[in-house]
Amino acid sequence: MKAKCSRCLSRARGQRSGLRVGALLLTGVVLFTLWGCGESEGDQEEAGGLKVPDYFPSLRIPEENPWTEPKAELGRGLFYDPRLSGNGTQSCASCHPQEMGFVDDLPRAVGSTGEVHPRRSMTLTNVGWAQSLNWANPLVTTLEQQALTPIFGDHPVELGMAGREEELLERLGAEEWYRDRFFRAFPDDEQPFTVANITSALASFQRTLISANSPYDRFIYHGESDALSESARRGMTLFFSERMECFHCHGGFNFSDSVDHAGQTFSGANFHVNGLYNIDGLGGYPPPNTGVHEVTGRIEDMGRFKAPTLRNVAVRAPYMHDGSVADLNEVIDHYAEGGRTILEGPNAGTGSMNPNKSIFVPGFLITEEERADLIEFLESLTDEEFLRNPALGPPADLPPFEFEEQ
Ligand code: HEC
Ligand code: HEC
């Protein structure tokens, strides 16, 4: 047997693995792959061989882009490659670095030309299950569609390849590394170097960004009773309590109600006003960050944002769509007050009085001990294996890129 990682070792101890092992022995075929641990006990296999833990629902993968390992491997190279930026200075990973849960630490993202994005970058933790992509855009529902914006968008400039599709395809086509991999990933295409194939590959890689081995998972799903401290367990009770209400929007396997998966019938994106602003007393948010309203123009969508997953939340400060909340203590102040109060400046207002605010952000009293417990619980959602798994990092043999002005 190959060396097993901790996730698989602990799974092997779980009760669920027995049946699965039996089935595998019966078929006589055990497939080891590079993805995850190279061990399939306790995982369910999606079409194409992507491993998903059996306590997560199946991914909904678009029919036009079935998942395959060669596509994901190509996508991994593209994700880490500065060839994707106009001036060769940035890759997707610049704003989505692995060790912070695939998000950077800037309050607002900065693109390859120095332009500041109105919003903060987002974690890509378990992004394959996101119901809609971006902070507040119900119209972007697939990773394939989303990837076009950072590469080719110019409001704001992120990677800055607008109008330079040919140049991008040439840069990639010049490398043996990519010629090999594009043909392997898209064997039916006579000419696989296309923008659609780039986004298909990026999406396939992003579907492998699966975080499911935090201390919380080990406690709940792997039966490791000592994985959570007493304090984290008390914090968990608070998180799921009707006093704090966190679970209403950050519930379920991914600690977010904005999830989609195979077999789910109702699929309307969920967005909420959590009371971060109330500039005009009518629920106003500072433009252009008006939430779903920015997309629909409907006043009732003012301030509605996606509730991000809280997996790996402790390593990805600062928080909220504009990075305006510095740390987890401030997050708790925000919810305890039932919305944030800003006393002066252009954004002054009493968030707790925001008329559009969700009924699940009522405010609550919290003792110092309870606050520490809640933070310890949020910290127990950090999955060290995910943050350090080399299979999700840059491919070691990716050819370096020397940018030349054309
Ligand atoms: C300049 C920094 C930057 C770069 C480079 C960048 N992103 Fe992002 N990413 C962001 C920001 C900012 C958002 C939030 C956008 C919004 O809501 O308007 C985001 C959001 C996302 C999301 C949505 C996540 C979710 O949970 O909804 C995905 C997926 C994503 N980026 C993937 C990528 C990929 C793939 C690339 C490379 C092709 C990339 N990003 C390059 C900054 C960046
Ligand atoms: C009504 C739904 C709702 C409830 C209840 C709720 N949240 Fe949130 N949460 C959100 C939304 C929406 C955002 C993003 C808001 C924004 O960026 O403007 C968010 C953001 C966060 C963030 C920042 C995440 C990031 O990636 O920046 C944290 C941390 C958080 N919530 C923790 C909690 C905790 C702890 C509780 C319970 C005390 C809670 N939430 C209750 C909807 C909710």
Side-chain angles (χ1 to χ4, degrees):
M1 288 290 270
K2 280 194 176 177
K4 294 177 181 180
C5 67
S6 60
R7 178 167 120 205
C8 296
L9 278 176
S10 48
R11 291 272 179 68
R13 284 199 292 271
Q15 310 97 328
R16 262 176 266 227
S17 53
L19 260 180
R20 205 120 340 218
V21 173
L24 282 173
L25 289 178
L26 268 181
T27 57
V29 183
V30 180
L31 286 173
F32 292 108
T33 78
L34 281 171
W35 299 106
C37 312
E39 239 299 310
S40 53
E41 286 165 17
D43 286 335
Q44 50 182 332
E45 252 187 54
E46 308 279 327
L50 175 59
K51 302 277 190 297
V52 171
D54 59 4
Y55 45 89
F56 275 19
S58 276
L59 281 163
R60 193 196 294 277
I61 296 175
E63 268 172 40
E64 317 75 73
N65 186 23
W67 191 90
T68 67
E69 196 174 320
K71 274 193 226 173
E73 205 203 325
L74 168 63
R76 181 179 160 210
L78 293 167
F79 188 86
Y80 285 99
D81 198 336
R83 284 178 184 79
L84 265 68
S85 59
N87 57 14
T89 57
Q90 275 194 341
S91 67
C92 306
S94 306
C95 303
H96 298 283
Q98 178 182 12
E99 64 280 7
M100 290 192 60
F102 293 92
V103 62
D104 65 14
D105 58 359
L106 300 173
R108 294 192 295 149
V110 177
S112 57
T113 58
E115 195 170 333
V116 180
H117 196 289
R119 287 173 289 280
R120 171 164 167 61
S121 178
M122 297 178 81
T123 179
L124 303 182
T125 300
N126 296 328
V127 73
W129 281 274
Q131 193 172 75
S132 67
L133 285 316
N134 297 348
W135 280 103
N137 195 336
L139 305 179
V140 182
T141 55
T142 66
L143 288 167
E144 287 79 356
Q145 184 191 1
Q146 197 283 335
L148 291 168
T149 306
I151 309 175
F152 299 112
D154 51 8
H155 292 292
V157 172
E158 292 175 75
L159 295 171
M161 289 304 286
R164 296 163 72 176
E165 286 81 355
E166 286 309 315
E167 189 185 335
L168 172 58
L169 298 172
E170 276 167 28
R171 280 184 192 176
L172 298 172
E175 297 298 335
E176 180 73 42
W177 198 94
Y178 280 112
R179 286 198 297 277
D180 225 48
R181 282 166 181 78
F182 268 92
F183 281 102
R184 233 187 303 149
F186 301 99
D188 300 334
D189 293 10
E190 219 164 278
Q191 207 297 76
F193 283 90
T194 64
V195 167
N197 284 349
I198 292 177
T199 56
S200 291
L202 280 168
S204 301
F205 170 64
Q206 291 181 86
R207 294 193 173 102
T208 71
L209 302 180
I210 298 174
S211 174
N213 195 32
S214 63
Y216 166 83
D217 296 299
R218 298 208 297 274
F219 181 80
I220 295 286
Y221 300 113
H222 304 177
E224 287 180 33
S225 56
D226 57 353
L228 289 191
S229 67
E230 295 264 327
S231 165
R233 273 185 255 175
R234 287 193 301 268
M236 175 163 68
T237 306
L238 291 169
F239 184 90
F240 289 102
S241 71
E242 297 292 344
R243 166 152 61 109
M244 309 245 159
E245 312 274 20
C246 314
F247 69 100
H248 284 287
C249 308
H250 300 283
F253 75 100
N254 201 31
F255 293 87
S256 166
D257 68 351
S258 176
V259 290
D260 185 25
H261 51 81
Q264 178 164 287
T265 45
F266 174 71
S267 192
N270 294 307
F271 299 95
H272 313 275
V273 178
N274 76 348
L276 203 59
Y277 293 99
N278 184 17
I279 295 177
D280 49 6
L282 302 171
Y285 270 53
N289 295 334
T290 55
V292 178
H293 167 269
E294 189 187 348
V295 178
T296 64
R298 298 190 323 186
I299 198 68
E300 59 269 36
D301 289 331
M302 175 64 75
R304 291 176 66 212
F305 285 86
K306 173 162 109 172
T309 175
L310 297 186
R311 286 182 175 274
N312 301 308
V313 72
V315 298
R316 51 186 174 85
Y319 300 109
M320 308 295 169
H321 67 270
D322 54 2
S324 61
V325 174
D327 54 32
L328 288 175
N329 254 311
E330 266 188 39
V331 168
I332 294 175
D333 290 340
H334 161 99
Y335 285 109
E337 284 171 40
R340 178 173 63 177
T341 297
I342 300 176
L343 290 173
E344 41 192 46
N347 297 333
T350 309
S352 61
M353 307 286 279
N354 183 318
N356 307 323
K357 194 186 68 171
S358 163
I359 54 162
F360 295 121
V361 185
F364 46 79
L365 291 172
I366 185 167
T367 67
E368 279 312 302
E369 196 204 354
E370 287 174 329
R371 176 186 288 266
D373 291 343
L374 185 55
I375 290 181
E376 188 142 339
F377 171 65
L378 293 172
E379 286 170 347
S380 82
L381 302 177
T382 302
D383 176 352
E384 294 294 341
E385 181 186 305
F386 176 72
L387 304 179
R388 285 200 301 264
N389 181 355
L392 305 178
D397 57 348
L398 191 69
F401 179 51
E402 308 285 335
F403 173 68
E404 281 170 33
E405 205 72 56
Q406 293 221 331

